[in-house]
Amino acid sequence: GLGLSTGVPGPWRPSILFPWRRTPGLGRVRRAWVIPPISVSENHKRIPFPLVQIKSDKQPLGGVIYSIQGPGVDKEPRGVFSIDKFTGKVFLNAMLDREKTDRFRLRAFALDLGGSTLEDPTDLEIVVVDQNDNRPVFQQEVFNGRVLEGAAPGTFVMRAEATDADDPDTDNAALRYSILAQGSPEFFSIDERTGEIRTVQVGLDREVVAVYNLSLQVADMSGDGLTATASAIITLDDVNDNAPEFTRDQFFLEATEAVSGVDVGRLEVQDRDLPGSPNWVARFTILEGDPDGQFTVRTDPKTNEGVLSVVKPLDHESREHYQLRVSVQNEAPLQAPAPRTTRGQAMVNVHVQDINEAPLFHENPLRTSLAEGAAPGTPVATFSARDPDTQQLQRLSYSKDYDPEDWLQVDAATGRIQTQRVLSPASPFLKDGWYRAIILVSDDASPPRTATGTLSVEILEVNDHAPVLAPLAGSVCSEPARGSGLLLGATDEDLPPHGAPFHFQLSPRTPELAQNWSISQVNVSHARLRLRHRLPEGLHRLSLLLRDSGQPPQQREQPLNVSVCRCAADGACLPGAAALRGGGAGVSLGALLVVLGSVILLLLLILLVALLARCRRRSRDKGLLHGLQDDLRDNILNYDEQGGGEEDQDAYDLSQLRHPTELAALGGPLGRPPLRRDAPSGRLPGPLPRLLPASTADISTAPLQGLEAADGDPSVPPYDTALIYDYEGDGSVAGTLSSILSSLGDEDQDYDYLQDWGPRFARLADMYGHQ
């Protein structure tokens, strides 16, 4: 069998438990033993400490090897328990903490010496017994609570809570609450088991003590163990249990007449309730003494004082003294048990001071009306005023302060206003038909006072302008069925209702117009003119009568020039129509100006082109002469271009190389050949025209004749080439082009001029010149 012994303080008396027991008899029934939990106290310091010994009865002593597994052995926390593998004794090797691990579940094994399992594994449970090794802890260091002042006994205030890490099923975690100190008298109590704080008696007064500080304690072991402390702050909430009071029964103040919106003085009050709260804020009411509502009292939010103000101007001449009865109360209603005050009302005496007041206009602003175009001297209005200082004899004088058109004249003594010139209807100071001026009135006191009055004059519209026709000319189709006719309009300088609608009518003085023309109203300002039947093309002069809607109406007869023209299908006049050719009456002045301007511009362009061409030719001539005369050191001549070969058609006239008969066949001119660009341009007369050979027999002499003509041509320079040939003879289209082979020879050539070309040509002059 397996023996199990438990370790307890004192001498170790092991008891042996046989969890694996063989049942005697023929048949064997195996039954697992249930090992009761093994208890061991936390914080046990005598280690290693034997806990239990297990034993198997399948092998003799020394033939079994024991082992255990589980948390505290081969699992975290490791090394807490161990077993003697030969004896089966289980030892505690470390101090235990129940707050970390309250029990360990191990498994015990029994093996033979060969490592074979002798029995099935057996569970071994070790329970850690709690000790009071943890103090209780309040959840907050300071608990805050609020309660209304004057609260009844038993009113809940707050709850203080604490915890203990020890076993809650033992006295180690049995907590008890208490109040260590709260001052005197004691208004609060705490439930020792729940920590609830409540009021215990009446008398809480915020105005006496606003905040209470309590010292709390909690202890475990049902109040006899470890302890902890905390604080409780209880604030009393204010209630309106104190009515506001005036600091005096009467107040004496002074106010100035003829002003409003000014403060007269302050009414001081006191209230013991919480400043800034509705229980403290004062509200003032004028009970009597102000029938016209000339005063008001408002509250200063910072000082809670009443500020007496004048809202309507006072008049010393009417009343010199006011006696006001004013009451004060809070915004919040007063609590029923609050004591009544004896200074909830006060008398306020206001004396009105006399000053020199400004004059007052009888009517301000003053509005009147006047017809437009009123002649100078027309009366406008009398802007009179009165002096409110009836106890003083003062004289009033009137003047203008603002009259932008200088239109009005003011009588300084009476205030009568009249016009001094005609007001232009186009004045920029007329706004919606109204003219505004500012009039001043002053007294002669010291110092004088001045009042300002506004005069508004409505300028009444008068129908003094007749309507004007627009346009005064136009065109219509000669066929009445085509086109939409001529749209006519009218304008009027008068304002409504003296303008539109306008009435259009053919002149009654020429009744024959109605036989060919008709006019119909389109809208209030336009009408349409049409032909009744076909009329000849050209200009037709009509006369129209226009009338407005004013009272009385104004009318005007105006001429209208209408051009009757041929029209296309869409009703537009065709270009070059007879209406435009008939005397040009249908052409407007603007069109004539455009045509005249175009002609002048064209003439200026032609003149400019001619001047540019002349300037270019002069500059080219000057350039050639300058090149020959001024730069003879390194250059013989300045050439503009050398030609581009056979494809160059610009440098030379290739027609000179053609046969004369080809030129005649092509119809080309046989006049003077063009002047060569490489020749200096002079003003020498051109050579006589050369005669072309009449037949092919004469062509053979053509080269010599051409050479002689080129050498004798004064329009070409005396170079060693002529460059102009008519024909080269039979068998070859182009023979030699050099004049060196000419029949004249070098001996006839004068090369002395090379001396003037610089030192580089001096040697040539010596070789070829006259010796």
Side-chain angles (χ1 to χ4, degrees):
L2 174 64
L4 183 145
S5 64
T6 58
V8 294
W12 178 38
R13 299 176 180 178
S15 61
I16 299 174
L17 179 63
F18 297 89
W20 303 288
R21 184 179 293 276
R22 184 178 296 110
T23 303
L26 297 176
R28 190 175 71 174
V29 179
R30 299 184 58 85
R31 186 179 71 174
W33 285 41
V34 178
I35 303 177
I38 302 171
S39 298
V40 59
S41 177
E42 66 173 334
N43 303 320
H44 191 72
K45 297 181 180 180
R46 294 187 336 182
I47 52 177
F49 178 73
L51 296 178
V52 69
Q53 181 180 9
I54 58 176
K55 193 172 184 181
S56 174
D57 59 354
K58 286 191 175 181
Q59 292 291 342
L61 184 62
V64 181
I65 298 176
Y66 302 95
S67 64
I68 55 176
Q69 295 179 359
V73 182
D74 54 353
K75 296 181 181 179
E76 293 297 335
R78 299 175 181 270
V80 178
F81 303 101
S82 63
I83 189 173
D84 189 318
K85 62 180 179 179
F86 296 112
T87 62
K89 294 179 181 179
V90 179
F91 295 91
L92 173 65
N93 299 320
M95 292 178 60
L96 299 178
D97 187 356
R98 191 207 65 85
E99 285 69 41
K100 293 183 179 179
T101 307
D102 61 347
R103 63 185 61 235
F104 296 87
R105 291 181 175 85
L106 309 178
R107 302 206 76 184
F109 301 89
L111 305 176
D112 60 13
L113 296 179
S116 299
T117 302
L118 296 177
E119 304 288 349
D120 294 333
T122 298
D123 293 332
L124 183 61
E125 183 176 9
I126 301 174
V127 177
V128 181
V129 179
D130 182 51
Q131 288 186 345
N132 190 19
D133 56 349
N134 291 279
R135 288 181 176 274
V137 177
F138 277 105
Q139 292 185 352
Q140 299 173 217
E141 292 185 1
V142 178
F143 294 90
N144 292 281
R146 308 185 73 89
V147 65
L148 288 175
E149 63 173 330
T155 302
F156 176 80
V157 179
M158 72 173 76
R159 180 179 179 182
E161 294 182 301
T163 58
D164 196 316
D166 291 326
D167 190 352
D169 296 330
T170 65
D171 282 346
N172 297 333
L175 305 181
R176 297 295 183 266
Y177 300 91
S178 61
I179 298 177
L180 296 180
Q182 61 174 313
S184 179
E186 297 181 352
F187 288 102
F188 304 97
S189 65
I190 188 169
D191 189 297
E192 66 174 5
R193 294 183 178 273
T194 63
E196 292 182 355
I197 300 176
R198 296 177 181 272
T199 61
V200 294
Q201 61 176 320
V202 296
L204 290 174
D205 189 354
R206 191 205 64 82
E207 288 71 38
V208 177
V209 179
V211 179
Y212 289 87
N213 292 302
L214 281 63
S215 179
L216 307 180
Q217 175 182 282
V218 62
D220 58 14
M221 301 297 291
S222 298
D224 297 328
L226 303 177
T227 63
T229 59
S231 298
I233 298 178
I234 301 175
T235 303
L236 300 187
D237 289 333
D238 184 54
V239 297
N240 193 13
D241 56 349
N242 293 279
E245 295 180 332
F246 285 103
T247 58
R248 289 180 290 172
D249 294 332
Q250 292 192 24
F251 295 87
F252 296 91
L253 304 174
E254 289 187 350
T256 304
E257 69 168 337
V259 293
S260 61
V262 296
D263 296 339
V264 177
R266 290 176 172 262
L267 310 179
E268 298 180 2
V269 296
Q270 61 183 5
D271 195 320
R272 298 178 60 198
D273 291 319
L274 180 65
S277 68
N279 304 323
W280 174 80
V281 175
R283 289 292 178 261
F284 300 88
T285 305
I286 299 178
L287 300 179
E288 56 184 48
D290 185 24
D292 298 327
Q294 294 178 295
F295 298 92
T296 185
V297 183
R298 71 177 187 276
T299 304
D300 187 328
K302 295 182 178 179
T303 63
N304 209 29
E305 296 174 328
V307 181
L308 181 65
S309 303
V310 177
V311 294
K312 293 181 181 180
L314 303 176
D315 186 9
H316 174 79
E317 289 71 22
S318 301
R319 188 172 179 179
E320 299 182 10
H321 185 267
Y322 290 85
Q323 191 173 30
L324 310 177
R325 183 178 296 276
V326 182
S327 67
V328 62
Q329 58 186 2
N330 294 126
E331 281 187 352
L334 193 65
Q335 296 293 322
R340 294 294 175 178
T341 178
T342 58
R343 287 187 176 178
Q345 297 182 6
M347 298 300 298
V348 181
N349 298 277
V350 180
H351 176 70
V352 181
Q353 295 178 340
D354 184 26
I355 62 171
N356 180 29
E357 302 175 69
L360 297 176
F361 284 100
H362 294 289
E363 184 181 356
N364 191 14
L366 178 61
R367 297 175 181 268
T368 186
S369 60
L370 198 66
E372 68 171 338
T378 302
V380 178
T382 299
F383 208 175
S384 60
R386 66 176 180 86
D387 192 344
D389 295 316
T390 58
Q391 299 178 4
Q392 304 176 17
L393 296 179
Q394 297 176 350
R395 185 174 57 184
L396 303 181
S397 61
Y398 301 87
S399 62
K400 293 191 305 182
D401 181 64
Y402 177 74
D403 181 14
E405 286 285 358
D406 196 22
W407 178 46
L408 304 175
Q409 183 178 6
V410 181
D411 188 293
T414 63
R416 287 192 297 268
I417 302 173
Q418 63 182 11
T419 62
Q420 59 183 358
R421 63 184 186 86
V422 178
L423 180 64
S424 173
S427 171
F429 299 101
L430 275 177
K431 305 297 183 182
D432 299 328
W434 287 85
Y435 183 84
R436 291 175 175 83
I438 297 178
I439 309 300
L440 302 179
V441 58
S442 303
D443 58 23
D444 58 352
S446 181
R449 296 294 303 273
T450 302
T452 302
T454 301
L455 175 64
S456 297
V457 182
E458 183 182 14
I459 307 301
L460 300 178
E461 182 71 18
V462 177
N463 190 20
D464 55 352
H465 294 88
V468 178
L469 180 67
L472 296 176
S475 61
V476 296
C477 291
S478 59
E479 298 182 9
R482 294 186 179 180
S484 59
L486 177 60
L487 183 64
L488 302 175
T491 58
D492 198 324
E493 295 184 14
D494 293 322
L495 297 176
H498 302 296
F502 301 109
H503 177 70
F504 297 82
Q505 181 184 358
L506 295 171
S507 175
R509 296 188 298 104
T510 54
E512 61 274 10
L513 292 176
Q515 299 176 2
N516 300 325
W517 304 89
S518 67
I519 189 166
S520 59
Q521 200 81 19
V522 175
N523 51 34
V524 295
S525 60
H526 290 79
R528 193 176 301 277
L529 180 69
R530 296 179 182 271
L531 282 173
R532 292 185 181 275
H533 51 79
R534 184 181 180 88
L535 290 181
E537 301 176 11
L539 178 64
H540 296 261
R541 291 178 173 83
L542 286 71
S543 181
L544 299 183
L545 180 65
L546 278 72
R547 185 171 65 252
D548 59 22
S549 299
Q551 294 298 328
Q554 294 281 349
Q555 63 182 17
R556 175 180 298 181
E557 190 170 332
Q558 286 189 269
L560 174 65
N561 294 327
V562 182
S563 297
V564 179
C565 62
R566 293 194 309 274
C567 294
D570 58 354
C573 288
L574 295 175
L580 297 178
R581 297 197 302 267
V587 181
S588 64
L589 178 61
L592 291 176
L593 292 177
V594 171
V595 173
L596 182 60
S598 302
V599 173
I600 294 174
L601 181 61
L602 181 60
L603 292 177
L604 291 176
L605 290 176
I606 294 174
L607 180 61
L608 181 61
V609 171
L611 291 175
L612 290 176
R614 184 180 182 89
C615 292
R616 288 180 180 176
R617 184 168 59 188
R618 288 183 178 180
S619 63
R620 183 171 64 250
D621 294 345
K622 290 181 180 180
L624 291 174
L625 293 175
H626 177 75
L628 288 174
Q629 297 174 3
D630 298 338
D631 192 6
L632 300 178
R633 295 176 300 173
D634 298 331
N635 302 291
I636 298 177
L637 289 175
N638 292 333
Y639 282 76
D640 290 339
E641 59 185 41
Q642 299 297 329
E646 295 181 358
E647 297 181 359
D648 188 357
Q649 303 297 322
D650 298 328
Y652 303 99
D653 186 7
L654 299 182
S655 64
Q656 300 297 330
L657 301 180
R658 295 181 180 273
H659 195 277
T661 58
E662 294 178 357
L663 292 175
L666 295 174
L670 299 177
R672 178 182 176 181
L675 183 66
R676 282 168 41 198
R677 298 178 62 184
D678 58 349
S681 59
R683 291 295 179 263
L684 298 177
L688 297 175
R690 289 175 287 158
L691 298 177
L692 298 177
S695 63
T696 58
D698 299 329
I699 293 176
S700 60
T701 63
L704 296 178
Q705 295 177 359
L707 182 60
E708 292 177 358
D711 291 339
D713 191 352
S715 63
V716 298
Y719 299 160
D720 204 16
T721 177
L723 299 180
I724 300 175
Y725 289 82
D726 289 335
Y727 190 70
E728 294 299 329
D730 295 336
S732 175
V733 178
T736 177
L737 300 178
S738 176
S739 63
I740 298 177
L741 302 179
S742 65
S743 61
L744 298 179
D746 293 338
E747 62 275 4
D748 296 333
Q749 194 78 14
D750 186 6
Y751 293 100
D752 291 339
Y753 64 89
L754 296 177
Q755 295 286 349
D756 300 332
W757 287 14
R760 295 187 181 181
F761 294 93
R763 186 173 182 81
L764 290 176
D766 295 340
M767 294 174 60
Y768 294 98
H770 297 285
Q771 301 296 331

